Amino acid sequence: MRFHSLKNRIVFLFISLLLALQLVSYFAIGNAIDSNARNAIHEELRLSEKIFSRLLEQNAQKLIQGATLLSKDYAFREAIGTHDTETIVSTLLNHGQRLGADLTMLVDLEGKITATSSDTLARGLQKSVSVLIQQAGKQGHASSTDMVDGKPYQMVMVPILAPVTISWVAMAIPVDSKLINDMRELSQLQISLLTSVNGQAWTPHISTLGQSDANALAQMLPANSWRTEILRDFELGDSYYSASILPLVQNEKSKTIAVLQISISEAVAPYKQLQRNLLILTVLGGILATIISAVTAGRIAGPVRQLADQARRLGAGDYQTPINIQRKDEIGDLATSFSQMRDAIAQREKEISHLAYWDTLTNLPNRTLFTNMLDDAIRQAGMRVSTCYVLMMDLDRFKHVNDVMGHRFGDLLLQQVAVILNSELGTNNIKPARLGGDEFAAMLPGVSQNEAMQVAEKILLALEKPITIEDQTVDIGAGIGIAGYPEHASDAASLLSRTEVAMYVAKQLKNGAVIYSPEIDKSSQQNLSLLSDMRAALEHKQFRLYVQPKLSLHTGQIVAAEALVRWIHPERNFIFPDQFIPFAEQTGFIRQLTHWVMNAAAAASRDWQRAGLNIKLSVNISTRDLLDQELPSKFSGILQQHQVAASSFCLEITESAIMDDPVRAHQTLDRLHAMGMELSIDDFGTGYSSLAYLKRLPVDELKIDKSFVLKMEKNADDTKIVKSTIDLGHNMGLRVVAEGVENAEVISLLTELGCDHAQGYHIAKPMPASDLPAWLVEWNQHQTI
């Protein structure tokens, strides 16, 4: 049997549940039987103790009645009065025999035995006589149990009245097998009388048990046991018992107890039979349940198996085979639902196929379908020894349009571009597609490289026309990359990859359309190598912190410095920032580089402050840095690590960096300024920022781009621009810094125009941060002279 089949699982489940229920019931009933039986035995033992005590009391009453009758016998009293000993003894014997007493005796008022039917027993009971006389004097009669020769006797004492007490009559009867048998008949108990002499082990005196069991019981009991108690669960022979111990009599030498026993095995035997019958019924019920559950499971599993077969056919794409299950129960409902599901899957597969291969926005083939089409086209071109070119296009300024006009407007723009592509490319073998975002592609099978370039130029020319959407006119352009089979690649993946490389070059160079060449890939490999080198440089501490001092034109003192990074390559020696900073910004490595510069600047500032120098350091922040919402917390951690104040730093941000994402940039700058850092707009005048927006930023400084400062002493227009910028900055309450100062004339002119700070080669070239203190000493000495 395969356990994983539904039918077998159902059968197994049914049988398991039944057996589990029956087994739980079996053990629960067993525990209940055992518990109830033990409680019942305990109560029966308590009751038996009372019955046994009652039997002893009845025996005593019988003796008292007999002794009383004897004490009232006229002849007996007359014999006592005449001291007729022979008659007294005869009467005592006769009367004792009628009552079954082993001892009958006459006791005078002083407690002396004057006549007895047994001298031996009389001597053994002499001590009990005086005690009984005292009790009888108070109660009119008395009874007790005593030991004679290791045997228990019940003895009673009654007075002889004439009309006052003239003597006492005492009778004694043994506690023997008759009493035990009477008790056995009343309660079905096992009863044993055990005696211990001089504190030694118990020995059985009378017992309803066999001799071996009686001896075993005697060995189990402690010799000093002398109290009423219950013994639970002890084994004798083949049975378990519970027992009650009753003290009977004790004197100086010996003591006797009665042990009342009930067999637990016999008590629970009827219930155990009932439990065994239940087990037999469980087995029979399990067999019957197996048969019934197998039939039921077959009726359930059969249709389910048919539905499983149908599911496999659906998986293979068969949506036509009917489901032949005609039932009016839940299985029938399942089959109907399964049939409806099959039809729905067939419909959705058509829809999914369309969604998987077609762009829902432009209704053009998507990247997946375009790649499949390109595979087929390359295969056919290979068989015909032909060509297949691919154009890949990325729109210019689309992100800006999307941000300014909204995503809905951007979607409409993409739809319009799709219409233009379909219109310009025509219905020949040229097939446009949308690869994602604002990227489009076209496949040109069987054309030459020149023809592919002509198609690209035709597309670019069409996109030069303004596009009007909802009364809004936008100008867009594109960068197009071109690559073809078999010249540039032999498979679809490689061809698309190289077309994309050419497209990125076209976007960077703004050349419109670029045909792929191996040199482009070589440049890409160089860039990858440069990125690896920069990472290695950071790890192996090849970067150096340089600073360029800033001069206060009001006081003539060095008040600040700009932090710059330099790269000392182990093989290429000194690498200028222009060779790696732009690439670091493109790849995102600039974030790690900025973190390094800030950390090195904080360490330098700490060292300068310890040396007594109060120089504010300016650190450049890139676009990617501004978009990092964690930048303030990162800088805060650096400042805390080096124990320097935020006010010791000024962060320089270009206009273009702010305007790439004004909202996020504003949020980041607000948090940085709240920390206590000053902010400076770098290269002011070269960007396209709005002054209305800039005035809302928490800016402290404007830095005039060096392109306006370098030759301002010779160019009146540059001077006017610099003067206007200085006046604008002061009107906005900002400090103005001019960079690119390379001669004394420019410094003089800037001072005349009211500029605050100046920076350039005329003051000092960039130097290692560690050299600044010594340079300052030399600078101050020179200024003094």
Side-chain angles (χ1 to χ4, degrees):
M1 294 178 62
R2 296 178 303 165
F3 182 71
H4 62 270
S5 70
L6 178 60
K7 177 180 177 180
N8 292 338
R9 288 185 183 180
I10 293 175
V11 173
F12 179 78
L13 177 62
F14 284 175
I15 300 305
S16 298
L17 290 176
L18 176 63
L19 291 178
L21 179 61
Q22 293 295 342
L23 286 175
V24 170
S25 300
Y26 179 83
F27 288 110
I29 291 172
N31 289 334
I33 289 172
D34 187 70
S35 177
N36 292 335
R38 294 178 188 280
N39 291 334
I41 289 172
H42 181 73
E43 292 301 320
E44 186 173 352
L45 285 173
R46 292 298 185 191
L47 180 60
S48 298
E49 291 174 7
K50 296 179 180 180
I51 294 173
F52 188 76
S53 298
R54 184 61 177 169
L55 284 176
L56 290 174
E57 185 179 349
Q58 288 177 356
N59 277 350
Q61 290 298 325
K62 179 180 177 182
L63 286 176
I64 290 172
Q65 291 175 3
T68 302
L69 183 62
L70 177 61
S71 69
K72 293 180 180 181
D73 186 90
Y74 178 79
F76 182 64
R77 284 188 294 175
E78 185 177 353
I80 294 173
T82 59
H83 300 287
D84 187 354
T85 304
E86 184 177 350
T87 301
I88 293 172
V89 173
S90 176
T91 303
L92 291 174
L93 286 172
N94 292 334
H95 204 77
Q97 288 174 356
R98 287 198 301 270
L99 294 176
D102 284 9
L103 173 66
T104 306
M105 57 185 175
L106 181 67
V107 181
D108 62 17
L109 294 177
E110 286 77 21
K112 181 180 178 183
I113 299 173
T114 58
T116 178
S117 61
S118 174
D119 293 335
T120 304
L121 287 177
R123 285 193 298 271
L125 296 173
Q126 178 64 56
K127 290 185 179 181
S128 298
V129 169
S130 57
V131 176
L132 286 174
I133 289 175
Q134 293 177 5
Q135 293 178 359
K138 297 177 182 180
Q139 301 175 0
H141 60 79
S143 65
S144 68
T145 306
D146 202 350
M147 297 287 294
V148 179
D149 295 333
K151 296 181 181 180
Y153 283 83
Q154 278 187 287
M155 188 171 68
V156 299
M157 179 77 71
V158 297
I160 301 174
L161 302 175
V164 296
T165 303
I166 59 174
S167 290
W168 302 92
V169 174
M171 286 188 175
I173 187 172
V175 180
D176 56 9
S177 59
K178 182 179 184 304
L179 177 66
I180 300 303
N181 291 332
D182 289 343
M183 186 66 187
R184 173 70 171 164
E185 290 176 0
L186 288 173
S187 61
Q188 298 299 314
L189 294 174
Q190 299 287 355
I191 306 169
S192 302
L193 298 182
L194 290 87
T195 301
S196 174
V197 179
N198 296 326
Q200 296 180 0
W202 296 99
T203 57
H205 175 53
I206 301 172
S207 178
T208 58
L209 296 171
Q211 187 61 43
S212 59
D213 289 344
N215 293 333
L217 176 63
Q219 293 176 3
M220 289 173 51
L221 300 177
N224 58 352
S225 178
W226 185 252
R227 70 178 189 275
T228 301
E229 61 179 317
I230 299 293
L231 298 180
R232 295 178 180 271
D233 297 351
F234 63 90
E235 184 177 5
L236 284 180
D238 297 331
S239 298
Y240 283 89
Y241 291 87
S242 285
S244 176
I245 299 177
L246 295 176
L248 289 182
V249 61
Q250 182 179 20
N251 58 24
E252 295 177 353
K253 294 183 179 180
S254 61
K255 53 187 176 180
T256 299
I257 59 174
V259 180
L260 311 180
Q261 301 163 231
I262 296 179
S263 172
I264 299 174
S265 303
E266 293 179 2
V268 301
Y271 304 103
K272 292 297 183 181
Q273 182 60 43
L274 177 62
Q275 196 176 15
R276 284 191 291 272
N277 292 340
L278 177 62
L279 184 60
I280 293 171
L281 288 176
T282 300
V283 174
L284 295 177
I287 296 172
L288 182 61
T290 301
I291 297 172
I292 295 174
S293 60
V295 174
T296 304
R299 289 179 57 81
I300 296 174
V304 171
R305 192 178 298 111
Q306 294 181 40
L307 293 177
D309 293 337
Q310 183 67 26
R312 283 189 286 271
R313 287 193 291 270
L314 285 176
D318 180 5
Y319 301 106
Q320 305 301 324
T321 303
I323 301 174
N324 298 318
I325 298 177
Q326 303 297 328
R327 293 174 59 160
K328 295 183 179 180
D329 56 6
E330 288 81 358
I331 297 294
D333 293 340
L334 179 60
T336 302
S337 300
F338 204 86
S339 179
Q340 295 171 351
M341 181 187 69
R342 178 196 61 190
D343 298 337
I345 289 175
Q347 178 62 31
R348 278 197 292 272
E349 187 170 279
K350 294 179 182 179
E351 297 174 359
I352 291 172
S353 178
H354 186 270
L355 291 173
Y357 295 106
W358 294 85
D359 178 54
T360 56
L361 181 64
T362 62
N363 204 31
L364 294 177
N366 63 12
R367 181 181 288 272
T368 302
L369 180 56
F370 185 78
T371 302
N372 293 341
M373 293 164 55
L374 184 57
D375 277 328
D376 293 338
I378 290 176
R379 192 178 305 109
Q380 294 176 9
M383 290 187 295
R384 295 196 302 264
V385 193
S386 182
T387 62
C388 181
Y389 276 83
V390 174
L391 308 182
M392 190 177 295
M393 177 181 76
D394 186 86
L395 300 179
D396 293 334
R397 299 181 296 281
F398 176 75
K399 182 180 182 300
H400 182 72
V401 172
N402 219 22
D403 292 341
V404 174
M405 307 300 292
H407 290 286
R408 179 179 173 277
F409 189 90
D411 290 344
L412 294 175
L413 177 59
L414 293 175
Q415 290 174 343
Q416 193 63 37
V417 171
V419 171
I420 292 173
L421 289 176
N422 276 324
S423 174
E424 294 298 328
L425 296 177
T427 57
N428 296 329
N429 288 331
I430 301 175
K431 300 178 178 64
R434 182 188 176 208
L435 303 184
D438 59 338
E439 284 189 6
F440 293 84
M443 184 172 61
L444 288 67
V447 302
S448 65
Q449 187 177 105
N450 289 335
E451 291 172 330
M453 179 59 79
Q454 291 173 8
V455 172
E457 291 173 351
K458 184 179 180 181
I459 294 173
L460 292 171
L461 185 61
L463 292 178
E464 287 181 359
K465 301 175 183 178
I467 299 176
T468 301
I469 300 173
E470 296 180 343
D471 298 329
Q472 297 288 336
T473 301
V474 295
D475 292 320
I476 60 171
I480 298 178
I482 304 172
Y485 167 87
E487 182 179 359
H488 302 125
S490 59
D491 60 86
S494 300
L495 186 57
L496 284 174
S497 175
R498 289 169 184 176
T499 307
E500 189 172 18
V501 169
M503 180 190 71
Y504 286 140
V505 172
K507 292 278 290 182
Q508 291 175 357
L509 301 180
K510 302 186 184 300
N511 282 350
V514 171
I515 298 175
Y516 171 83
S517 66
E519 287 74 16
I520 294 176
D521 259 347
K522 184 177 180 180
S523 175
S524 299
Q525 292 298 325
Q526 289 176 349
N527 288 339
L528 289 176
S529 175
L530 180 61
L531 180 59
S532 299
D533 286 349
M534 284 194 296
R535 288 173 177 164
L538 194 62
E539 182 179 351
H540 297 107
K541 301 179 180 179
Q542 297 173 8
F543 291 115
R544 300 288 184 272
L545 180 69
Y546 274 55
V547 294
Q548 187 174 29
K550 294 181 182 180
L551 174 68
S552 171
L553 298 178
H554 302 308
T555 65
Q557 300 296 317
I558 300 299
V559 295
E562 180 179 0
L564 304 169
V565 61
R566 296 294 184 262
W567 184 2
I568 312 299
H569 194 279
E571 297 177 358
R572 298 160 60 182
N573 296 323
F574 195 90
I575 300 179
F576 289 95
D578 292 345
Q579 295 177 277
F580 66 90
I581 293 295
F583 182 71
E585 292 179 343
Q586 292 175 12
T587 59
F589 186 78
I590 193 67
R591 289 186 178 182
Q592 300 177 54
L593 199 56
T594 300
H595 186 276
W596 180 90
V597 171
M598 187 62 193
N599 190 70
S605 178
R606 177 199 59 205
D607 295 340
W608 294 345
Q609 290 176 16
R610 291 175 179 175
L613 299 179
N614 187 20
I615 302 294
K616 186 182 293 290
L617 262 175
S618 296
V619 177
N620 290 281
I621 304 298
S622 71
T623 303
R624 289 183 181 268
D625 292 321
L626 280 182
L627 298 182
D628 183 4
Q629 297 297 299
E630 300 298 321
L631 185 67
S633 60
K634 292 177 181 177
F635 277 7
S636 177
I638 292 174
L639 296 176
Q640 291 179 8
Q641 177 186 351
H642 295 286
Q643 296 296 306
V644 292
S647 58
S648 301
F649 296 89
C650 178
L651 304 181
E652 296 187 2
I653 310 101
T654 62
E655 293 177 80
S656 58
I658 297 173
M659 299 311 298
D660 275 352
D661 194 337
V663 176
R664 293 177 67 182
H666 199 163
Q667 293 173 349
T668 304
L669 291 175
D670 280 342
R671 292 171 61 192
L672 290 169
H673 193 265
M675 291 169 52
M677 291 185 171
E678 290 188 351
L679 302 177
S680 173
I681 302 297
D682 196 11
D683 299 337
F684 186 77
T686 62
Y688 304 93
S689 56
S690 166
L691 290 176
Y693 177 76
L694 288 179
K695 73 178 183 180
R696 296 198 301 269
L697 295 175
V699 176
D700 303 281
E701 178 182 278
L702 288 183
K703 196 170 184 181
I704 304 173
D705 186 69
K706 63 182 178 182
S707 61
F708 303 116
V709 179
L710 283 172
K711 298 179 180 179
M712 61 178 290
E713 81 281 9
K714 300 178 182 179
N715 190 318
D717 291 336
D718 286 348
T719 302
K720 291 177 182 178
I721 292 174
V722 171
K723 183 180 185 306
S724 299
T725 304
I726 293 171
D727 293 340
L728 174 64
H730 288 163
N731 289 335
M732 294 176 66
L734 304 179
R735 181 174 64 249
V736 181
V737 180
E739 62 177 341
V741 177
E742 296 192 354
N743 55 61
E745 289 81 1
V746 172
I747 286 184
S748 177
L749 191 54
L750 288 172
T751 303
E752 182 182 339
L753 295 176
C755 187
D756 300 300
H757 294 168
Q759 174 184 351
Y761 277 20
H762 182 71
I763 301 168
K765 294 182 180 180
M767 65 186 72
S770 58
D771 294 349
L772 181 66
W775 180 87
L776 277 175
V777 172
E778 184 179 348
W779 165 270
N780 291 330
Q781 291 175 352
H782 179 74
Q783 292 298 104
T784 301
I785 295 172

